Amino acid sequence: MKLPPRVEGHLALVDRAVGSLLRGWARALPEVLVFTLVIFLCGSLLFTTDGLRLLADQTLAASPELIVQRVIGGRAVPIPLTHAARLSDHPAVRRVRPRVWGSFYDATRQDTYTLMSYLPGEGPPPGARILEQTLRLDALGADEVLVGRGYAREEGLRPGDEVILTDSTGRPRIFRLAGLFTAATDLWTHDLVLVQEPALRELLGLAPGEASDLVVDLHAPEEQEAVASRLAGLLPDCRVLTRDGLRRGYHSAFGWKSGAAMGILAVLLLAFATLVWSRAAGPSQQESKEIGVLRAVGWQVREVLLLQLWRGTLVALLAYALGVLGAFLHVFRFEAVLLRPLLAGWTSLYPRFDLPPSAPGGTLLLLLFCSWGPYVCALLLPAWRTALVDPERVLRGLA
Amino acid sequence: MTLPSAAPRTALDDQPLLHFSRVGKSYRDGSREVWPLREVSFTLRAGEVGLLLGPSGSGKSTLLLLAGGVARPTEGEVELLGRSLARLPEELRTTYRRQHVGIVFQQFQLLEEERVLENVILPLLPQGVPRRVAQERARRILAELGLAALTQARAGLLSGGEMQRVALARALIADPALLLLDEPTSQLDTVTATSLLGELARLRGRGRGLLIASHDPRLVERLRPDQTYDLRDGVLTLLDGPGPA
Amino acid sequence: MILDGWTVGLTVGGGMLLLPVLHGSLVGGRILRRWDATSSDAAQLRLERQEELVALGLDVALGLLLLQTLLFVLLLDRLADLLVGAMCATGVVRASSFGLPALLAKGGTLLALAVWRALFRADRLVGGFPNARPRAKVLLFLVLPLVGLDFALQTAFFFDLQPDQVTSCCAVAFRLAPSKTQELLDGLSPGRTLGLFAGGLALLLATGSTARTRALRGGPAARRSGWLFAAAALLFVFLFLVAVTALFGGYVYGSPAHRCPFCMLRGAPAWLGWPTYGLLLAGASAAIGGATLAQAWPRDEEGAVIRTLARRRFGKALLYQLLAAAGIAAPALLWQLSTGVAISG
């Protein structure tokens, strides 16, 4: 195959760069290792936030457009079902469903768990698998419960085991564990205990004419912000949460954490750049000789500089590939074990990072941008000494 | 892909290949100014051999570096193929050098970590000559110089004579019009020197100009230079030949 | 302020992009003071060698800038999740008064670099940096301020944005019905839009072919028509965007009310935004590069090489922008062909 001379020229430079890196691999090794580590950490962070966002989106996709809570004195209180009737009359509203749910505090484990009842019509999106066992949500027995994996692990529960919950008067009630939620729904089901509504009302002490909150489906989901403000006007004692608002909340929470962590990494990166800088601060005698010889046999300054640039780019790309691969395995295979202390913290159970594996092109490009860029810039600036090597002095042995 | 070659020979026959006119070169050595060359003038045509005699340190290497455009003269004019090198910016001097000049340095200046073949193809690499073509060419030249068996050897492990021939192969790979050789036979035994001189004679027969710095009397016998100069303390004296044009 | 991995990454990378430009400007300052092509002293030799490093650094900077622009657009789209009412990048850009200027600064920096690169290309062809001084001026007074401005605006934009901030989506910004509020592009009828677009195209063709013809002759006429063409190419970029938001967008998305210039960057239909905007910008920078070449050929003897290069740039510029125009107008034309209803109606 015949390539244009420019491409051939670059190929020859790459070839030389590879050769010299292989010959001097021991010198390049520390740089590759440190750089790989930095990319590994940045990549782990970005992949984790991407994974969390994806998880949030997947789970929110099945959740209602609006949630209406009654708030008195800043505290959420049960909402009368008459409110539901008033909302149903609004033309933008397609359907209103009361929900029964609450949380309870386990004094022995010092953990808070969420109790919920199954809401007819509120199911997983078609095809999504939210339960580990094959059973129908609406066919749950009156004394059967489903729990999230976090709760099951903390309590050491398996399907078929007894689950003991205390009701609002302090009496223990015994249920049977029918099944577990899947890892894909972890973000929302991790600490969840799903109970049938009558039993749950007893556990929570909720009167028949009341619900914990109302979920509202709309005819036009994209109008949810506008409808939300109108419904809030209709019911002055209530606040209306939107699905988009929840998504924003989650995204910005993930984003904020990863941003703060990236800031720390940026400092690391600069420290690394300084290291490269000091290493590359001037060509060694051997490098000087190589440059002098190349210049004497007819290489231009720019060709010698390009050779340096290629050398740096190869180091950067190698470290990039290793770092990205490592980060991918770290986050999606080993549950981001090194980042957990940093990103953890919505409930004491969370997180177990069983994130859906994904590596969006944009994130890969961003990693390339903030890794290759600083590395090559840090490498280029000291290269001015290389540019200044005078072949005549080298050949006379003066350099 | 055509290999970069010297300008058409026919046009060169009458035009001077290399012309020095009152060339001087000075260095700063601390506060003192040193002049290794002063007022040097001569002309070399295609197919001619110029021989520079003189003790070491007399400025022969400096003169060769000036002729190859590696160094810039402090005063005077160096013309290669009718173009003034002194006034050219470094980039163009380099371009001219790689198109028209091959240099065999006194210390050979090989990259000792690398293999013979890699060393020889160095001048062609940035010019976009495909590596296969360059290597093919290098093998041929190395074979002509009796180094066919050593193409994969590390340059640093060769004997002095072998290094010298590798350096010559590198100088020849771009098919230059002018060949500059600094003490080309200093490391060679009689047999190898004879074969190298035969090779140089062949090159001259093909119209290349050769400027050789040496104090080896075998050169005078074998090559019968067109011009012989003596360089002493930076001053060039014509011993034998037509003299400066 | 929106702090996340992306904004921090873009800020760090953007800061790095400043370094080669700063280095080039330092060398540029020295060149303006000391450059003397006739001298062969050590100082001049140093400057010549440093020029090579500056050139390589700016190549790297250009690569980073292109990558940064791409990432910035992707980020705008990503941030739409965080702002109330933003469905795509349009809402995010409108959420801060720094949004649009930041985008424009990136485009401006790309074009400024095109000027520098055209001059450097000429130097490369002729050898020996005859344009060292003009290039140093372009770098110091055009590229450096723009790169700095770009970085400042981008950072200000990230600081200015607030999560949960209320903004409007593209459907509001580019809505069809004339409104009393200061929405964009009020009262631009399809017919008038088409007229403007066609006029821009005609101007582009006329100035482009004149510039191409005159380029080989050289002289003041060639310089004038070069800059005229560059101006026409820039004007066409503007008219192109107006036409997208006032007319062509609706046909691209197959929905008359949807005419956002950003949505075609985020997938369907066929990611049409990337090739068309890419060609449009490449065309504009080729036109500016050509005009620069036509302006600054160094010496008469080598002028022919550069004149040929300028001519080729003009040809490329014309081709790229025409392709971009064809790409964006194609859905509308296909619609007219298949339905027989005039789009100008």
Side-chain angles (χ1 to χ4, degrees):
Chain A
M1 190 178 51
K2 219 174 145 182
L3 297 167
R6 261 177 74 160
V7 179
E8 285 285 359
H10 277 287
L11 283 181
L13 292 179
V14 171
D15 196 69
R16 262 199 82 70
V18 171
S20 81
L21 281 176
L22 288 180
R23 273 194 302 276
W25 64 270
R27 266 188 311 157
L29 192 64
E31 248 165 76
V32 173
L33 284 183
V34 179
F35 198 37
T36 302
L37 184 69
V38 175
I39 294 174
F40 168 79
L41 289 175
C42 289
S44 296
L45 263 172
L46 290 175
F47 285 152
T48 305
T49 20
D50 277 340
L52 285 171
R53 283 168 62 113
L54 197 63
L55 195 60
D57 286 349
Q58 276 177 4
T59 320
L60 277 172
S63 72
E65 279 111 36
L66 301 181
I67 296 172
V68 180
Q69 293 177 329
R70 189 168 181 226
V71 179
I72 290 174
R75 202 166 54 88
V77 298
I79 188 166
L81 292 177
T82 48
H83 276 44
R86 289 176 64 192
L87 291 178
S88 305
D89 294 339
H90 194 279
V93 172
R94 186 164 60 89
R95 179 169 61 159
V96 181
R97 290 167 298 161
R99 270 198 315 193
V100 178
W101 68 279
S103 54
F104 77 95
Y105 179 70
D106 182 334
T108 48
R109 302 225 176 259
Q110 301 195 325
D111 269 332
T112 306
Y113 300 126
T114 306
L115 289 168
M116 238 180 178
S117 73
Y118 169 66
L119 192 61
E122 164 128 322
R129 196 175 145 74
I130 67 162
L131 284 176
E132 305 236 331
Q133 288 74 22
T134 322
L135 49 91
R136 287 169 52 119
L137 277 177
D138 49 2
L140 209 57
D143 60 346
E144 286 183 323
V145 296
L146 299 171
V147 304
R149 302 190 318 146
Y151 182 79
R153 194 178 58 229
E154 288 295 307
E155 304 280 334
L157 293 172
R158 287 181 185 176
D161 286 353
E162 282 186 350
V163 179
I164 302 171
L165 301 168
T166 37
D167 68 12
S168 55
T169 61
R171 270 184 316 167
R173 288 202 46 173
I174 299 170
F175 296 88
R176 196 181 69 82
L177 180 58
L180 296 174
F181 290 102
T182 55
T185 59
D186 245 9
L187 191 54
W188 274 264
T189 63
H190 209 77
D191 62 347
L192 183 68
V193 180
L194 194 84
V195 191
Q196 285 292 60
E197 192 181 321
L200 186 56
R201 281 185 183 277
E202 283 174 34
L203 285 173
L204 298 173
L206 203 63
E210 290 176 340
S212 304
D213 56 19
L214 303 173
V215 299
V216 180
D217 298 318
L218 304 178
H219 290 297
E222 61 279 6
E223 297 291 322
Q224 52 187 280
E225 302 287 348
V227 177
S229 59
R230 251 170 270 148
L231 295 189
L234 212 60
L235 304 171
D237 60 340
C238 292
R239 73 170 169 205
V240 183
L241 306 175
T242 64
R243 184 170 65 192
D244 286 351
L246 287 177
R247 175 184 291 133
R248 278 196 300 279
Y250 283 115
H251 283 194
S252 82
F254 306 144
W256 186 86
K257 292 195 175 199
S258 81
M262 277 288 277
I264 299 166
L265 284 178
V267 176
L268 250 174
L269 200 70
L270 291 182
F272 172 65
T274 327
L275 175 83
V276 176
W277 189 308
S278 61
R279 281 176 62 87
S284 67
Q285 195 162 1
Q286 197 191 345
E287 283 166 328
S288 281
K289 180 181 170 186
E290 184 190 347
I291 294 162
V293 170
L294 292 177
R295 300 271 286 107
V297 301
W299 285 43
Q300 302 283 6
V301 175
R302 70 166 168 281
E303 288 152 358
V304 174
L305 287 173
L306 262 180
L307 181 63
Q308 307 272 88
L309 183 70
W310 272 119
R311 245 178 237 172
T313 300
L314 286 174
V315 167
L317 287 183
L318 179 66
Y320 175 77
L322 290 177
V324 165
L325 188 69
F328 193 85
L329 290 177
H330 171 223
V331 172
F332 300 117
R333 181 77 189 78
F334 299 103
E335 301 179 355
V337 62
L338 299 176
L339 289 182
R340 257 187 254 176
L342 200 72
L343 287 167
W346 359 88
T347 87
S348 56
L349 285 179
Y350 202 75
R352 264 185 62 100
F353 284 85
D354 280 356
L355 299 176
S358 71
T363 302
L364 294 178
L365 272 184
L366 178 72
L367 273 173
L368 188 67
F369 177 67
C370 51
S371 60
W372 178 74
Y375 185 81
V376 168
C377 288
L379 201 77
L380 263 188
L381 292 184
W384 70 271
R385 286 177 196 258
T386 305
L388 292 182
V389 167
D390 189 344
E392 185 191 341
R393 291 179 70 82
V394 173
L395 296 182
R396 299 177 152 273
L398 297 173
Chain B
M1 184 77 234
T2 51
L3 284 167
S5 65
R9 305 286 174 242
T10 45
L12 287 179
D13 288 343
D14 297 324
Q15 193 192 351
L17 195 56
L18 180 68
H19 179 64
F20 270 51
S21 136
R22 305 172 70 86
V23 171
K25 174 79 182 171
S26 71
Y27 293 108
R28 220 158 237 302
D29 184 9
S31 57
R32 189 164 73 90
E33 203 169 32
V34 189
W35 285 84
L37 281 185
R38 267 177 212 277
E39 298 266 332
V40 169
S41 299
F42 71 91
T43 303
L44 188 76
R45 288 169 200 284
E48 285 187 348
V49 172
L51 182 61
L52 291 171
L53 299 173
S56 52
S58 61
K60 296 195 301 278
S61 300
T62 306
L63 195 151
L64 290 184
L65 289 180
L66 284 168
V70 179
R72 243 202 270 220
T74 315
E75 50 179 50
E77 194 63 83
V78 177
E79 278 178 28
L80 181 65
L81 290 162
R83 187 146 188 193
S84 159
L85 287 188
R87 289 209 216 109
L88 278 187
E90 186 177 37
E91 185 200 355
L92 294 182
R93 263 193 290 136
T94 307
T95 307
Y96 238 61
R97 171 161 74 249
R98 77 176 177 200
Q99 283 173 349
H100 305 302
V101 186
I103 312 179
V104 177
F105 301 98
Q106 190 171 14
Q107 311 294 332
F108 322 128
Q109 305 291 359
L110 299 179
L111 300 178
E112 298 180 353
E113 300 278 294
E114 299 182 33
R115 295 177 196 289
V116 166
L117 200 62
E118 302 293 322
N119 267 286
V120 175
I121 63 173
L122 277 184
L124 294 185
L125 289 185
Q127 304 186 41
V129 179
R131 285 179 57 81
R132 255 179 314 101
V133 178
Q135 286 174 346
E136 199 44 52
R137 218 188 138 97
R139 283 206 186 86
R140 215 187 59 230
I141 294 174
L142 285 167
E144 280 174 19
L145 295 175
L147 294 171
L150 292 176
T151 50
Q152 292 304 319
R154 255 186 53 192
L157 301 178
L158 302 181
S159 72
E162 287 162 343
M163 282 193 191
Q164 207 146 28
R165 280 180 286 158
V166 172
L168 179 63
R170 186 178 66 189
L172 290 175
I173 192 141
D175 194 19
L178 174 67
L179 206 58
L180 307 170
L181 303 107
D182 202 349
E183 304 287 357
T185 52
S186 60
Q187 303 276 332
L188 304 185
D189 58 60
T190 312
V191 179
T192 337
T194 310
S195 94
L196 178 81
L197 291 176
E199 180 62 32
L200 293 182
R202 256 200 308 283
L203 286 167
R204 170 204 215 167
R206 282 191 231 154
R208 308 297 189 274
L210 277 70
L211 185 60
I212 307 172
S214 175
H215 44 249
D216 184 350
R218 290 177 294 189
L219 271 165
V220 186
E221 283 165 36
R222 294 269 165 189
L223 282 177
R224 277 188 307 253
D226 301 280
Q227 306 161 37
T228 308
Y229 295 95
D230 185 41
L231 187 62
R232 241 166 246 279
D233 299 325
V235 179
L236 193 71
T237 325
L238 179 68
L239 296 182
D240 181 24
Chain C
M1 180 177 65
I2 287 191
L3 179 68
D4 80 354
W6 278 64
T7 53
V8 174
L10 273 175
T11 309
V12 171
M16 281 294 159
L17 189 128
L18 281 170
L19 290 181
V21 178
L22 277 174
H23 166 254
S25 304
L26 282 177
V27 176
R30 243 171 274 152
I31 283 175
L32 287 184
R33 270 179 284 128
R34 303 209 196 111
W35 186 266
D36 176 10
T38 60
S39 151
S40 58
D41 65 0
Q44 172 67 15
L45 199 61
R46 271 175 83 99
L47 280 181
E48 284 179 18
R49 289 177 185 163
Q50 279 178 332
E51 274 284 80
E52 297 286 357
L53 186 55
V54 171
L56 195 60
L58 287 184
D59 275 351
V60 170
L62 177 70
L64 286 176
L65 186 69
L66 286 173
L67 202 54
Q68 190 195 27
T69 307
L70 178 85
L71 286 168
F72 188 72
V73 173
L74 291 178
L75 172 66
L76 289 179
D77 210 49
R78 234 177 115 90
L79 289 180
D81 275 353
L82 290 178
L83 307 181
V84 181
M87 314 276 277
C88 73
T90 303
V92 181
V93 171
R94 285 165 55 87
S96 159
S97 46
F98 296 112
L100 193 60
L103 259 183
L104 290 178
K106 287 189 197 307
T109 312
L110 283 172
L111 295 181
L113 273 174
V115 173
W116 191 92
R117 287 170 63 83
L119 287 172
F120 188 71
R121 185 73 208 282
D123 279 0
R124 212 20 121 228
L125 276 178
V126 176
F129 308 121
N131 287 313
R133 277 170 186 280
R135 261 189 304 118
K137 283 184 197 152
V138 169
L139 191 54
L140 271 170
F141 303 121
L142 202 61
V143 176
L144 179 67
L146 276 170
V147 167
L149 185 72
D150 173 34
F151 184 65
L153 284 172
Q154 178 182 293
T155 313
F157 177 62
F158 293 156
F159 268 91
D160 193 36
L161 283 182
Q162 301 298 331
D164 274 326
Q165 190 176 351
V166 178
T167 176
S168 52
C169 77
C170 53
V172 178
F174 305 112
R175 80 161 142 233
L176 189 59
S179 77
K180 286 169 211 127
T181 51
Q182 24 120 343
E183 300 298 354
L184 301 169
L185 312 167
D186 282 351
L188 205 53
S189 71
R192 201 179 293 172
T193 311
L194 211 57
L196 273 177
F197 189 72
L201 263 181
L203 187 67
L204 198 68
L205 272 170
T207 53
S209 40
T210 316
R212 249 174 70 78
T213 328
R214 289 195 183 158
L216 284 186
R217 272 183 252 146
R223 283 172 216 180
R224 250 195 329 271
S225 45
W227 287 116
L228 219 57
F229 176 48
L234 279 181
L235 176 71
F236 187 68
V237 171
F238 174 72
L239 289 176
F240 185 97
L241 292 175
V242 168
V244 167
T245 46
L247 179 67
F248 291 133
Y251 294 94
V252 171
Y253 302 116
S255 122
H258 190 192
R259 293 175 315 193
C260 166
F262 282 106
C263 284
M264 59 182 87
L265 290 168
R266 59 194 322 222
W271 277 280
L272 189 64
W274 294 108
T276 48
Y277 296 153
L279 282 169
L280 194 66
L281 202 61
S285 58
I288 287 182
T292 310
L293 286 172
Q295 174 75 40
W297 47 78
R299 291 186 290 268
D300 279 345
E301 66 224 64
E302 285 114 353
V305 187
I306 295 174
R307 286 197 281 266
T308 314
L309 190 65
R311 184 185 150 88
R312 213 175 298 149
R313 286 282 162 97
F314 290 140
K316 265 188 203 168
L318 206 53
L319 178 71
Y320 290 166
Q321 294 217 322
L322 289 180
L323 278 177
I328 204 70
L333 294 175
L334 286 177
W335 187 82
Q336 177 164 357
L337 281 179
S338 62
T339 60
V341 182
I343 48 177
S344 57

